[in-house]
Amino acid sequence: GAVVSQHPSRVICKSGTSVKIECRSLDFQATTMFWYRQFPKQSLMLMATSNEGSKATYEQGVEKDKFLINHASLTLSTLTVTSAHPEDSSFYICSARDHTGPGPYEQYFGPGTRLTVT
Amino acid sequence: SQQGEEDPQALSIQEGENATMNCSYKTSINNLQWYRQNSGRGLVHLILIRSNEREKHSGRLRVTLDTSKKSSSLLITASRAADTASYFCASKGGKLIFGQGTELSVKP
């Protein structure tokens, strides 16, 4: 199956700093990527939908100026958490949709990035 | 907002028993998918059932879909300790929205 990678897998940063998380589709082109966050013992919450070459679409309640998403190529989307606070500590998971073939177009998930803000 | 609600939220069984998890969703869907997540790890896709299908099997997994009730169930037969994980349903209209998940614990 298709592979999606995330980097880094774990990151610790200080309050007020920014951190960038990369999501790559390794063996397919993804015109659409999705970013989720997951708090402990909870489900995945969709944060935003990222389309290659255009602005991301954010879900209600997600601050677009705080969570900057860039999808500059068909294999790479980045999520930058700006001016991070301890409450931003979470597990961030990306997924990429493979649009080849007749469908259904499955989403493949990355392994996640554990962000801890101290 | 969450699309799906799952029950039970937590399920503890003995190895060899069957585990049944249910999921309800709110809006029309194209398909429904079940995922598994080991603690602190990424998601593993288990099975997809299309909106025009009623039942699907894959190994020890059996999924049903009732679009009239907007519900789905996942049955894991002859459970193993390695099945211990959280299981999520995710419904797809235009984007994949996850339910709350069921935390399954299989005791050896």
Side-chain angles (χ1 to χ4, degrees):
Chain A
V3 178
V4 175
S5 71
Q6 278 184 243
H7 178 80
S9 58
R10 288 178 177 269
V11 58
I12 300 173
C13 70
K14 293 186 177 180
S15 286
T17 62
S18 296
V19 61
K20 181 185 286 187
I21 303 169
E22 292 185 348
C23 176
R24 293 181 186 273
S25 56
L26 298 186
D27 49 5
F28 66 99
Q29 294 185 329
T31 53
T32 306
M33 290 185 173
F34 303 86
W35 287 96
Y36 295 82
R37 69 185 295 183
Q38 184 181 33
F39 292 108
K41 302 285 186 182
Q42 295 189 26
S43 186
L44 283 76
M45 297 293 295
L46 180 64
M47 298 175 67
T49 302
S50 164
N51 293 297
E52 187 266 337
S54 64
K55 291 183 179 180
T57 302
Y58 290 81
E59 294 298 304
Q60 193 172 9
V62 178
E63 298 175 61
K64 60 182 179 182
D65 293 330
K66 180 168 185 61
F67 299 100
L68 301 178
I69 292 172
N70 183 283
H71 192 163
S73 78
L74 287 172
T75 59
L76 173 65
S77 176
T78 61
L79 168 69
T80 301
V81 183
T82 63
S83 187
H85 290 276
E87 55 264 33
D88 298 324
S89 298
S90 187
F91 194 52
Y92 292 87
I93 302 177
C94 74
S95 71
R97 183 184 287 166
D98 183 357
H99 281 266
T100 57
Y105 300 118
E106 191 169 334
Q107 279 180 230
Y108 298 95
F109 284 82
T113 296
R114 174 78 57 195
L115 170 64
T116 302
V117 184
T118 61
Chain B
S1 60
Q2 292 298 117
Q3 167 77 301
E5 297 293 331
E6 279 150 278
D7 76 271
Q9 291 190 342
L11 179 62
S12 181
I13 59 174
Q14 293 295 132
E15 210 166 26
E17 294 180 340
N18 296 340
T20 300
M21 290 159 271
N22 302 298
C23 162
S24 61
Y25 56 92
K26 297 175 182 175
T27 62
S28 297
I29 60 171
N30 299 328
N31 60 62
L32 188 135
Q33 304 178 43
W34 284 88
Y35 288 84
R36 163 201 169 119
Q37 184 182 36
N38 287 70
S39 181
R41 308 291 291 274
L43 293 170
V44 174
H45 182 261
L46 295 176
I47 193 166
L48 178 152
I49 185 165
R50 301 185 192 208
S51 59
N52 61 354
E53 296 176 313
R54 292 296 167 259
E55 187 171 312
K56 200 164 184 179
H57 296 253
S58 177
R60 294 185 295 114
L61 305 180
R62 174 178 165 249
V63 170
T64 63
L65 180 64
D66 187 335
T67 52
S68 66
K69 295 181 180 178
K70 290 187 168 61
S71 68
S72 174
S73 69
L74 171 68
L75 168 67
I76 303 174
T77 60
S79 64
R80 305 166 182 167
D83 294 329
T84 295
S86 292
Y87 292 82
F88 297 93
C89 70
S91 52
K92 191 166 186 297
K95 47 195 175 185
L96 206 56
I97 304 296
F98 284 81
Q100 290 294 331
T102 294
E103 200 169 323
L104 174 65
S105 173
V106 181
K107 299 179 179 178

